[in-house]
Amino acid sequence: MTSLALAHVKKAFGGRPVLEDVTFSVAAGECVGLCGENGAGKTTLLRIIMGLERPDGGEVRTTASLGMVHQHFSLVPALTVAENVWLGREPMRRLSFDRDAAAAQTVALAKRLGMTIDPQAVVEDLSVGQKQRVELLKALRTETELLLLDEPTAVLGPQDTDAFLELLQTLKSRGIAIVLVTHKLKEIARVCSRAVVLHKGRIVADQAPTLAALPALADAMVGGGGNGEKALAPRVPRASAPSAEVRVQLAGVGTGELSDASLTVRRGEIMGVAGVEGNGQEALFRVIVGLDAPARGTLSLDGKPAPASPAKLRALGVRAIASDRHIDAVLPHMSAGENARLGHVTSDAAIREAMERFDVRPLDPDLAIESFSGGNQQKIMFARELGGAASLIVANQPTRGIDFLARDRIWSALAALADAGASVVVISSDTDELRALSDRMAVMYRGKIGEALAIGEWTDEKLGAAMAGA
Amino acid sequence: MSEAATARSGGAAWLNVALTLLLTGVLFNLFCLVSGSAPITVYRALVSTTIASPYGLAQLLFKATPYLFLGVAAALAFSAGQFNIGLEGQLLVGSLAMGIAGVMLPPGTPGLIAVALLCLVAMLAGAAWAMIPAFLKHRFSAPEVMTSIMTNFIAALAAGLLLKPFAVSESTHTAAVPKAFMFAAIDRLIPATKGAQLSTAFLLGLLVVAGAHWLLFRTRFGFEWRAFGANPRAARLYGVETRRLMFLSFAISGALAGLAACVYVLGAKGFHEDGFSGGIGFLALGVALLAKNRPLLVVPAALLFGLISYGSLAINAHVPKEMTDILTAVIMAAAVITSAKAKR
């Protein structure tokens, strides 16, 4: 039985074709991986399947009931699990919301899907992995037959990702058809029977994602050219080794979620900070870039106390990549060029050059930031920050949701800055990223930073244990 | 600066203004029919009493003048994301300060110096009054929408009280400032406009518009100003001194609101009078809304408000005056609707 069938789907925005002749289908109980670069048309395709966008041509047939999990959580933090799951479709007793029924139905739903979850738990107290499970329950609350997942593991650590992928296997066995949109080809290889690759709005590959086929699939994603192996996150080459000179020192820093956090970063060094999200990474970022002053302990830069002011720190060459660009970085309704200008790049020529360096597409500084795909917006944020000289770069989840060629450019740019003597702190929940990039790595757990070891010393077991707090 | 982007969204803004006017026109016709007048008769009356006569045109421009200052004051504050709803109070305080200073200044002071000094006094007074919501926002995170509204009422009462010792007996206004301190009236240049209240304050208003446009769209400072308005968190993280900018945006907005007093004190009337403003500080918020916070668009928006304001008197015989108040509200609603549509 076919749960989703697309035939010759076409879509253009303002004369610019986004999708061309897209044809594929998903059978019940099948999981199809959908991948492609930023701006390849994945999000538009999902919106068309959801019925949020009307195709210009072609035909879309779906089963009656479909659910979607978006890249960003769409949960109400102050409500309980059951309230979130049934929001908008609340079981009623006369005129009031029947909370008991909602809780009971949540437990039953979770049990059917092989999950355990406390329906009375308040969502803001949950871990990221648990939140993602709530999102999934919400998407599956109405006998859903087709499930659309947009980068569902982008926020998850390795353990949570494993558990999530296991869950998808269960859903498949229950006859649910799944479309999994992700940049992570390894995940597609684990749970999908087919990988559909979009490039510039066209399907360029539709085949079984065996491990052997991954480089070819990756190559297809970027339109050929033999860059496929970069999808597997190889170690980024470096021209010079870190010096012994310490640039950044946190000594017993406490503020917000940070408690007694200590870390030293040397000149020319890339320091990776691993950890499941929500263990104080945001507080660490805020302290180093000067948004928060340490309540206890000290932060010093080149041996001197660092001023707790982003403006003053920027003058000293500190650069920041915020984890949530919509909240902390993007200037809405302003052009790409103006967004880039907020950094320290000032001339039109320099802005264009920086955008070109990070392969921003389309390369038009006058377009409003909203006209760019999420990945390209992130590239613009890098163009803003890495366009000129820098002495310390703090990047929080720098390549989340970014395709691998763009990711490679960003990694190379960070490595080049480190080679030139800058210090780089990369905070990430993506261990592949940290393995590819870091000289040393430390793990954050409950507001503390563990011992920083050379990247080669971190075995998978050791890293997993540290991230779980063992 | 990304000229093309600015031009592009500027074009969209013009389109909004056109749409708003169209919607307004349709509704205005309906009003006329409802009150039993043929729309064409009303239009003829409107045109013959305003733009078709030199006097009417001059009065229209006079009515539009304060909206140039106040509209820019609102647009600047809104561009920085600061909702300064206290323009009315800042205008009152500026007017009172200007009126009192005008009387106290030695009458022999050279005219140009006196005008500059008095304008400065009004600006300082308006800016100082705007510091109240700014400080409360900084110190207690008090929402400026609420606090700045409150400062309007305090200003109205306090200005009435402070006026007493300076008021001409049996009146609620200060003594007139010397003629030498006042702007040139239009009828000195064009005799046909005899009696009209338009003065060279209008030119100062245009200067303020041009200056605000230059500041916002041609300087690094203006860019940071707009960035602060677009996303204050991003602005702070990427090196904008946001605290300073918050205070500055209130100060500049308040100063321009205070300066608007010159239209009356150094123009039409020659003195400060209690209750002279009649709520134009509130209506100016609509001017900024209609202009989409773009200083250059404040000019047509101010002219439209001037037309309504003066035109309502002219067509009183055909359409009740209340109808024109409704019309003002309709224009604002239309502006909100068309700009919401443009955002989608």
Side-chain angles (χ1 to χ4, degrees):
Chain A
M1 203 189 79
T2 314
S3 297
L4 169 68
L6 296 154
H8 313 291
V9 169
K10 271 172 66 177
K11 182 76 189 175
F13 288 117
R16 196 168 57 91
V18 179
L19 292 174
E20 293 248 42
D21 197 24
V22 172
T23 303
F24 77 96
S25 60
V26 185
E30 190 186 18
C31 179
V32 170
L34 180 62
C35 47
E37 290 178 288
N38 300 126
K42 293 170 304 204
T43 307
T44 309
L45 190 55
L46 284 185
R47 288 179 62 83
I48 287 176
I49 297 172
M50 285 293 287
L52 298 171
E53 207 86 64
R54 188 192 283 273
D56 296 338
E59 200 188 352
V60 181
R61 277 186 297 122
T62 64
T63 50
S65 168
L66 45 85
M68 175 153 180
V69 173
H70 295 270
Q71 196 173 350
H72 299 280
F73 287 133
S74 54
L75 302 172
V76 184
L79 297 183
T80 67
V81 169
E83 285 165 343
N84 265 289
V85 169
W86 296 102
L87 190 66
R89 232 176 213 279
E90 300 85 354
M92 304 295 281
R93 185 167 50 205
R94 299 236 174 84
L95 289 174
S96 63
F97 176 29
D98 190 345
R99 288 194 162 72
D100 295 338
Q105 288 175 23
T106 306
V107 171
L109 178 64
K111 202 172 165 193
R112 272 210 306 282
L113 304 172
M115 283 187 233
T116 49
I117 197 145
D118 175 9
Q120 309 292 6
V122 177
V123 161
E124 62 194 348
D125 300 334
L126 300 182
S127 72
V128 236
Q130 287 170 317
K131 282 182 191 158
Q132 190 61 288
R133 252 165 270 164
V134 179
E135 284 281 5
L136 205 53
L137 285 175
K138 198 168 140 188
L140 295 170
R141 63 189 181 183
T142 54
E143 295 300 321
T144 305
E145 292 162 50
L146 172 63
L147 181 64
L148 308 174
L149 304 168
D150 191 4
E151 298 282 351
T153 61
V155 291
L156 303 183
Q159 273 94 348
D160 284 327
T161 301
D162 282 346
F164 186 81
L165 296 178
E166 284 299 313
L167 203 55
L168 294 189
Q169 300 286 14
T170 316
L171 298 181
K172 269 163 58 181
S173 68
R174 297 192 60 86
I176 295 173
I178 302 171
V179 177
L180 172 65
V181 174
T182 180
H183 291 299
K184 298 176 185 167
L185 288 170
K186 284 179 193 164
E187 292 178 5
I188 291 183
R190 276 181 61 185
V191 291
C192 298
S193 52
R194 273 161 56 215
V196 173
V197 180
L198 271 182
H199 180 68
K200 293 187 176 164
R202 286 178 187 277
I203 292 183
V204 290
D206 184 346
Q207 63 181 92
T210 57
L211 280 175
L214 291 189
L217 282 173
D219 209 30
M221 266 170 77
V222 294
N227 282 315
E229 81 288 346
K230 283 180 180 158
L232 301 172
R235 177 97 186 138
V236 180
R238 293 284 292 281
S240 63
S243 82
E245 206 180 321
V246 171
R247 157 133 320 128
V248 190
Q249 180 153 35
L250 278 87
V253 169
T255 147
E257 290 159 5
L258 276 191
S259 65
D260 197 21
S262 299
L263 187 72
T264 53
V265 188
R266 306 191 183 108
R267 282 174 63 96
E269 182 177 47
I270 301 183
M271 170 63 75
V273 178
V276 177
E277 261 191 274
N279 275 292
Q281 287 94 332
E282 195 62 32
L284 176 67
F285 173 79
R286 291 180 64 87
V287 160
I288 306 182
V289 300
L291 285 171
D292 290 335
R296 291 170 301 282
T298 53
L299 167 67
S300 44
L301 218 58
D302 293 321
K304 289 183 280 269
S309 147
K312 284 182 189 148
L313 283 172
R314 289 187 77 74
L316 297 173
V318 176
R319 303 285 176 258
I321 297 294
S323 66
D324 191 327
R325 69 173 169 272
H326 295 294
I327 293 180
D328 284 316
V330 163
L331 301 176
H333 309 307
M334 290 175 86
S335 71
E338 287 181 309
N339 264 278
R341 189 181 292 268
L342 183 58
H344 50 282
V345 197
T346 43
S347 75
D348 284 348
I351 286 171
R352 211 181 169 79
E353 194 189 323
M355 284 174 67
E356 205 166 356
R357 180 157 159 242
F358 286 96
D359 191 31
V360 175
R361 282 184 242 172
L363 184 59
D364 183 354
D366 293 335
L367 275 185
I369 189 85
E370 284 83 4
S371 347
F372 293 85
S373 71
N376 278 298
Q377 288 183 17
Q378 186 72 349
K379 293 185 205 167
I380 293 168
M381 298 300 111
F382 272 93
R384 168 194 288 176
E385 284 304 88
L386 304 190
S391 68
L392 167 64
I393 301 101
V394 191
N396 197 358
Q397 311 291 355
T399 62
R400 177 191 288 166
I402 293 234
D403 65 60
F404 68 86
L405 269 195
R407 185 180 71 179
D408 192 64
R409 272 171 200 271
I410 287 167
W411 286 352
S412 303
L414 290 172
L417 284 164
D419 285 341
S423 303
V424 180
V425 178
V426 179
I427 304 169
S428 179
S429 52
D430 179 352
T431 48
D432 287 346
E433 171 164 59
L434 296 175
R435 287 198 183 284
L437 204 53
S438 318
D439 296 310
R440 287 189 301 152
M441 178 163 76
V443 175
M444 280 199 92
Y445 185 74
R446 296 206 176 148
K448 287 192 165 50
I449 304 172
E451 193 192 349
L453 300 176
I455 192 71
E457 292 179 40
W458 285 103
T459 59
D460 283 344
E461 292 73 31
K462 205 168 176 177
L463 182 57
M467 286 172 81
Chain B
M1 187 108 235
S2 45
E3 295 280 348
T6 308
R8 239 179 264 173
S9 55
W14 280 107
L15 186 72
N16 274 334
V17 173
L19 266 172
T20 306
L21 289 178
L22 190 74
L23 238 160
T24 312
V26 170
L27 280 156
F28 185 70
N29 287 354
L30 278 174
F31 283 164
C32 294
L33 291 171
V34 166
S35 35
S37 306
I40 190 71
T41 326
V42 180
Y43 280 122
R44 199 173 292 148
L46 190 64
V47 170
S48 66
T49 47
T50 57
I51 48 177
S53 84
Y55 173 80
L57 189 61
Q59 280 303 79
L60 187 160
L61 294 179
F62 161 67
K63 290 283 188 183
T65 311
Y67 290 124
L68 293 177
F69 296 91
L70 294 163
V72 168
L76 283 180
F78 295 169
S79 297
Q82 306 306 310
F83 294 93
N84 178 14
I85 317 291
L87 299 173
E88 177 82 2
Q90 290 143 22
L91 168 66
L92 281 182
V93 171
S95 176
L96 178 72
M98 194 179 233
I100 294 173
V103 180
M104 308 240 287
L105 212 59
T109 315
L112 214 58
I113 293 174
V115 167
L117 272 177
L118 293 177
C119 285
L120 191 67
V121 165
M123 289 173 80
L124 285 175
W129 197 246
M131 282 302 95
I132 297 172
F135 172 76
L136 293 176
K137 182 171 185 174
H138 165 64
R139 183 70 182 77
F140 305 106
S141 306
E144 76 274 20
V145 174
M146 308 303 287
T147 53
S148 62
I149 286 182
M150 293 309 157
T151 57
N152 290 326
F153 303 118
I154 300 171
L157 295 168
L161 218 61
L162 287 173
L163 171 64
K164 288 219 169 105
F166 299 95
V168 177
S169 63
E170 304 289 313
S171 83
T172 54
H173 61 79
T174 58
V177 302
K179 275 270 178 282
F181 296 180
M182 289 177 62
F183 287 120
I186 186 73
D187 53 11
R188 284 205 354 229
L189 296 165
I190 307 167
T193 61
K194 188 154 176 50
Q197 292 166 292
L198 181 66
S199 68
T200 39
F202 186 79
L203 298 180
L204 183 61
L206 291 180
L207 210 63
V208 163
V209 166
H213 175 80
W214 176 80
L215 180 84
L216 268 193
F217 295 103
R218 294 285 181 278
T219 67
R220 174 85 198 174
F221 177 68
F223 167 65
E224 292 191 351
W225 182 292
R226 288 182 295 126
F228 176 49
N231 184 346
R233 287 178 62 124
R236 174 154 180 251
L237 175 57
Y238 294 100
V240 176
E241 295 277 9
T242 49
R243 187 193 310 169
R244 197 183 62 178
L245 206 47
M246 194 272 284
F247 277 103
L248 262 177
S249 59
F250 268 100
I252 293 178
S253 178
L256 292 179
L259 181 62
C262 74
V263 179
Y264 305 96
V265 180
L266 304 183
K269 293 178 188 291
F271 49 76
H272 165 77
E273 184 172 24
D274 204 23
F276 75 99
S277 63
I280 51 172
F282 290 107
L283 286 171
L285 303 173
V287 173
L289 181 73
L290 197 59
K292 301 196 52 117
N293 299 336
R294 291 176 165 273
L296 291 185
L297 288 179
V298 163
V299 178
L303 290 176
L304 179 67
F305 273 62
L307 174 72
I308 294 172
S309 173
Y310 181 63
S312 69
L313 300 172
I315 59 173
N316 209 356
H318 304 277
V319 183
K321 196 185 171 303
E322 287 70 26
M323 281 295 184
T324 49
D325 293 340
I326 297 175
L327 196 65
T328 312
V330 168
I331 290 175
M332 290 207 209
V336 173
I337 293 165
T338 51
S339 65
K341 204 161 169 277
K343 225 166 252 171
R344 240 189 298 145

